Amino acid sequence: MGGTGNSPCASCKLLRRRCTKDCTFAPYFPADEPQKFAIVHKVFGASNVSKMLQEIPVHQRADAVSSLVYEANARVRDPVYGCVGAISYLQNQVSELQMQLAVAQTEILCIQMQQHEPVVPTPEVNNPDQKPYFLQDEFSQYLNFGSSSNVIYDSLQRENIYGHDMVS
C-alpha cells in the first residue's frame, strides 16, 4: 500500500479506492491528514490534482501540493479571489501602515523643530575659523528621527487623520 502503515493514504481513503504502492497522492497526502486532501479535492478535484502532479518534476511536487492546499483553503474562505484577495488585503495594510509611519515621522519633525526653534545667525566673515550654524552639532538632531521614544509614543497616542486611535 502507498499509505503509511496498513492504512491507505488520505486521498484513496476519501475516494474509497485501493491504495497501491505507486499511488501518486500517497507521499503528499498521508492518512493522518485527511483534511488536507479533502479541501484540495473539493476545490480542484482529484483528477485535476493527479494531472498537475504528474506534469511536475518529482522534486517540486511537495511544494506544489503545499501551494494547492494553501490556495484551496483561500478559495474556501474567499471563493472569488482566493489567494489574490489575501495578497491584496495585505498590500493595502502595508500601504496604510507606510502612510501612518510617514505621518508620525512628520509629526516628530514638527515637534522637534518647535522645541528647538533655531535662529539662523548671519555668518561672520571676520572669523574664518567659526563654522556656519548649520554645520554645528545642533543641526544633526534634526536628521535623527528616532532619538526620542517619548515623542514617538505621544504622537501615536493622538488620533490619526482618519479619526482612529493609532495605538490602543
Side-chain angles (χ1 to χ4, degrees), residues 29-40:
F29 299 103
D32 59 344
E33 297 181 59
Q35 74 287 354
K36 193 173 164 181
F37 181 76
I39 194 143
V40 169

Side-chain angles (χ1 to χ4, degrees), residues 62-155:
D63 289 336
V65 168
S66 178
S67 294
L68 287 170
V69 171
Y70 186 85
E71 177 64 29
N73 280 312
R75 285 279 169 194
V76 167
R77 283 190 306 273
D78 185 352
V80 176
Y81 295 108
C83 287
V84 174
I87 291 168
S88 178
Y89 172 77
L90 292 172
Q91 284 176 332
N92 287 337
Q93 255 189 328
V94 167
S95 294
E96 186 176 321
L97 291 171
Q98 286 174 333
M99 187 183 64
Q100 289 176 3
L101 177 62
V103 168
Q105 287 175 330
T106 302
E107 287 181 3
I108 290 168
L109 182 61
C110 289
I111 290 169
Q112 286 178 339
M113 292 186 77
Q114 287 173 357
Q115 287 176 351
H116 296 289
E117 295 184 43
V119 177
V120 180
T122 56
E124 293 181 22
V125 181
N126 298 339
N127 188 355
D129 294 334
Q130 183 180 7
K131 294 180 184 176
Y133 181 78
F134 64 89
L135 292 178
Q136 293 177 359
D137 292 340
E138 290 86 6
F139 184 73
S140 64
Q141 68 190 344
Y142 295 112
L143 300 177
N144 186 5
F145 287 73
S147 63
S148 173
S149 60
N150 289 339
V151 172
I152 293 171
Y153 186 75
D154 290 342
S155 67

